Amino acid sequence: VSQSRYKVKMNAGDLATIVRSDYLDDNKGEFLWDTPSLLRRLTEAQRQACNRTDFLYDDSSDVAKIKLEAGVSSYHFSQKITVIERFVWNGKYLAKKSKDMLDRENANWRTITGLDKNEPCVLVRGQTIRITPIPTTEDIALSPYLVLECYRLPLVDITSLEQCFEIPDEYVPNLKYWALHEAYKKQDADTFNQEKSDYYLSRFDAAFGRPVPANVRLHQFEAPLSLQIIPHARKNKAVSEDW
């Protein structure tokens, strides 16, 4: 039997049908939970999963590339990026350093130019990367992009029943728990059920882990020696150094 007859990936319609038929009993007549709202909940389910687990590695999409400009040292990177493993320019891995480390090594690090003639490195503050030395026209001609080897959130929302998910297919069925968690929060006598909403949230947490707090995610990029999550005891530490 030809394998082409079998669907390889579960799409949004498959999962929406499971949610409606097996859990919500919402497959007769007019839906209590309309299709657009289910698709929004599945979009958020996949985003939440990628916030908690490093599913989507990227080193080639536009999200993972920063176009350098001659004379410009600071660049914003996409908020879809959740973890950065390495910074690469012209085939070289760039060291990630703190402002204090750069000050000790070269007091003129803010003004020196020429990536190819020096040992380039990066300083990260929040969602901004500062590359030093400052890129020149010659550097841009040699290699115009700083590449981030990273993990990210999904690139696009789920907007149709035919659309497939970006995370590995074996984990897709567990996305239903977030959709159910949100579905039972709908403020209607026939739909609202806080107990069930809390239960399905716990199932989602068990499948994908607890969410990473925004301030932890933001400041994890700044650590010079590690790109892992900042320990709980340090996660609220204020950052006050000037660039």
Side-chain angles (χ1 to χ4, degrees), residues 52-70:
R52 300 157 189 242
T53 302
D54 296 332
F55 281 121
L56 303 179
Y57 177 81
D58 195 347
D59 62 2
S60 59
S61 77
D62 289 342
V63 167
K65 295 188 293 185
I66 295 176
K67 187 172 178 57
L68 300 177
E69 299 179 38

Side-chain angles (χ1 to χ4, degrees), residues 46 56 58 61-64 78 80 152-157 166:
Q46 184 174 223
L56 303 179
D58 195 347
S61 77
D62 289 342
V63 167
S78 173
K80 288 185 178 293
R152 58 165 174 79
L153 302 177
L155 293 178
V156 297
D157 291 349
E166 290 187 61

